[in-house]
Amino acid sequence: MGPNVIKDGTVGFLTPTHCQVNMGAISAEYMYQATVLSMANEIGTETHDAPFFTAATSSACDTGRYCRYSDANFYTKGIGVTSTQGGVAKPTNSSGSVTIGGEFRITAEGGLPSLGLTLNKVGRTSGWSQGDVTDTCVDVYTTYYGNDLQFKCQYGVQATQVGGDSGAPVFRITNSPATDDVTLYGIATATIDGDEFYFSYLGNIFFELEPSVSWDSCNASFSC
């Protein structure tokens, strides 16, 4: 699951489209936390998912592939579900801890990530990991539910990600050593052998989910 956001005035959260059975389409799938045992565990319903495009409509897509510029969709928060916006869970250390010891505060949106930039992610399974950007704007090829997908212009980070981490917020710490304020860059999507992960950049997410998405902890212009 990605960060909590507000889209067109609706409170919800982001998660990867590859987590959907019906990817690239609005199919009102439900999200549960922490387990799928009953409707009492429902936390949201999918309400926005950009369609894939193919080589038939764009030369940017390889033949036989379904293409997107971001691996992200939007869920509307369930009725009665509480949430807070503008934060990322902060584990007790950056060496794979999944024990929550505080919260990072999102204060800015990141620009285009550059090679060598140190970024972090906090995922459900492998916790907090960090590493340098190793790939910029590359195509990531993968297969989900029998569909050959091509996510265009993704960014790679030399850091741990494993199954269940998809959607993890990707960010840069901006005020070390206090290490509480962060700049958000996107959400983690895919991994290579667990030691490098790729993420969808905010600009591409905005492009496909439309620009009226806010996830800051201060105000719409990220001024704190």
Side-chain angles (χ1 to χ4, degrees):
M1 194 175 77
N4 292 327
V5 301
I6 297 175
K7 174 174 167 52
D8 301 321
T10 299
V11 178
F13 55 89
L14 298 178
T15 197
T17 193
H18 78 247
C19 293
Q20 310 306 117
V21 175
N22 189 14
M23 298 176 293
I26 301 172
S27 53
E29 295 186 42
Y30 296 104
M31 181 72 73
Y32 300 87
Q33 194 179 62
T35 57
V36 185
L37 295 178
S38 70
M39 291 301 291
N41 291 333
E42 181 205 332
I43 60 170
T45 306
E46 179 200 20
T47 54
H48 191 109
D49 197 5
F52 286 93
F53 59 93
T54 66
T57 58
S58 173
S59 60
C61 191
D62 292 355
T63 300
R65 294 277 177 174
Y66 294 92
C67 293
R68 282 267 303 264
Y69 283 92
S70 76
D71 185 1
N73 61 358
F74 176 75
Y75 272 70
T76 294
K77 180 175 69 69
I79 296 173
V81 176
T82 60
S83 68
T84 58
Q85 184 174 326
V88 176
K90 180 183 178 182
T92 53
N93 65 68
S94 60
S95 302
S97 172
V98 293
T99 301
I100 306 303
E103 183 177 276
F104 293 109
R105 183 178 69 152
I106 302 170
T107 60
E109 295 176 32
L112 286 172
S114 58
L115 288 173
L117 182 70
T118 299
L119 295 180
N120 302 256
K121 77 99 182 68
V122 175
R124 185 208 71 176
T125 309
S126 65
W128 180 6
S129 61
Q130 61 182 205
D132 294 342
V133 174
T134 53
D135 291 302
T136 60
C137 201
V138 297
D139 288 359
V140 173
Y141 297 86
T142 186
T143 299
Y144 288 105
Y145 301 108
N147 296 300
D148 293 326
L149 308 181
Q150 181 180 353
F151 290 106
K152 301 192 64 63
C153 200
Q154 306 295 288
Y155 290 78
V157 177
Q158 194 71 47
T160 301
Q161 178 183 326
V162 297
D165 287 333
S166 294
V170 177
F171 56 91
R172 180 172 67 90
I173 298 170
T174 57
N175 69 336
S176 181
T179 65
D180 287 331
D181 288 354
V182 303
T183 296
L184 190 65
Y185 276 82
I187 64 171
T189 58
T191 184
I192 298 178
D193 298 327
D195 58 5
E196 181 180 14
F197 71 83
Y198 286 89
F199 71 94
S200 290
Y201 163 62
L202 283 184
N204 291 340
I205 295 173
F206 280 143
F207 172 72
E208 294 191 320
L209 294 185
E210 302 169 2
S212 53
V213 178
S214 171
W215 35 35
D216 66 300
S217 60
C218 303
N219 59 43
S221 62
F222 290 92
S223 175
C224 297

